Amino acid sequence: KVEEWLLNAGQSGWTPEQYAFEAAVLLFAETDGGKADEWLSRAQQTEYKLSDACFCAVIRAFNRVGRVDKATDRLSRMIQDGRSPTEETIREVVGALADAGDVPLAEAWLAQLTGRSGEGIDDLRRVLFDASMRTNDVACAEQQLALIRSPDADRTQKLAEVLAESGDPERARAVLQSYVALGGPPSPEITTSLLSVCASLNDSSGAEAAAIAFAAVAELNDLHLS
C-alpha cells in the first residue's frame, strides 16, 4: 500500500514528503532489497536527503540475500556522497566478501574500520584468515594473523603446519614465535611444532627457549593441581 500510494502521488504530479520515501525504503529493506534500492534511487532524484540509515538498510538487505556485489556498489556510492555507513554495515560487507572468497576486496573495506574498536577488527581479521586459508592464499593468511593483537593458538598451529609442510620452516618459526611473544601459552602442540622447526633449522637456542617455556608452564600447572 505504501508503494501504491507513492506511485499514485508521482502520477498525480506531486512529490510525497521525505518521511514517506524513508518509510518505503526501510519497509522494503526487510523483504526486498531491490525494491528498497529502487525507492532510494527515486528519492535521490528529489531534493530530499534521506538518512544514512536508509542506505545502510539497503546494503544490509543485499547482504542477506548474497548480493554482495550490489551491497558493495551501494556502499561505495554512499561513501562517495559523503555519507557515514555504520560500523556494523561495513562489518557485514567485509564478512560477506570474505565468505564469497574475495579477500582482497574484503581487506580494502576493512581499512575503512581503521581506528575503530580493536576486538571487532581482530574478529574480522580472523574471518579473513580463514577465508585466505580456504583459498590457499597463505601469504594473506600470514598477514592477517600478524595483525591480530591477541594470541590465537588454533590459527597459529594451522598456519605453521602449512608453512612447514611447504618447505618454509623459517616462516613457520616466525609465526610460532610471534604467538609466544603475544603472550600465548606454550601448549604441547605449539611447543612440539616450534621444537620441530627449530630442529630443522639447527636453531638450538630457539628450541631450548621453547622447551624452557613449556616446562615452566607445565610446572605451574602441576602446582595448581597439587
Side-chain angles (χ1 to χ4, degrees), residues 4 26 37 44 47 53 81 92 96 120 127 144 152 154 171:
E4 182 180 350
L26 294 175
D37 190 55
Q44 288 183 291
E47 61 183 11
D81 290 342
E92 289 189 7
V127 171
Q144 297 305 323
D152 189 317
D154 290 341
R171 285 166 66 193

Side-chain angles (χ1 to χ4, degrees), residues 151 156 174-186 190 194 209-210 213:
T156 296
V175 166
L176 292 162
Q177 290 178 335
S178 293
Y179 167 83
V180 175
L182 284 173
I190 293 289
L194 188 51

Side-chain angles (χ1 to χ4, degrees), residues 58-141:
V58 171
I59 293 166
R60 298 175 71 182
F62 281 136
N63 270 336
R64 284 197 300 271
V65 296
R67 292 305 307 267
V68 67
D69 55 330
K70 288 186 173 293
T72 53
D73 177 64
R74 178 52 82 178
L75 181 58
S76 296
R77 285 185 283 157
M78 182 181 182
I79 292 176
Q80 288 168 5
D81 290 342
R83 294 177 173 276
S84 300
T86 63
E87 183 172 312
E88 185 177 6
T89 300
I90 299 177
R91 287 180 190 281
E92 289 189 7
V93 168
V94 172
L97 286 167
D99 289 342
D102 195 341
V103 176
L105 189 54
E107 282 188 283
W109 280 112
L110 182 58
Q112 295 286 335
L113 294 171
T114 301
R116 305 197 190 188
S117 56
E119 185 55 36
I121 298 296
D122 283 350
D123 286 343
L124 286 174
R125 293 205 181 281
R126 293 184 184 99
V127 171
L128 293 185
F129 173 92
D130 295 341
S132 299
M133 293 295 283
R134 287 196 301 271
T135 58
N136 297 316
D137 190 344
V138 178
C140 184

Side-chain angles (χ1 to χ4, degrees), residues 143-189:
Q143 178 186 10
Q144 297 305 323
L145 187 62
L147 292 170
I148 296 174
R149 287 163 287 190
S150 58
D152 189 317
D154 290 341
R155 290 178 174 83
T156 296
Q157 181 70 24
K158 183 181 297 185
L159 180 58
E161 288 177 356
V162 170
L163 289 169
E165 290 171 1
S166 64
D168 202 338
E170 288 190 4
R171 285 166 66 193
R173 177 180 60 181
V175 166
L176 292 162
Q177 290 178 335
S178 293
Y179 167 83
V180 175
L182 284 173
S187 65
E189 295 79 13

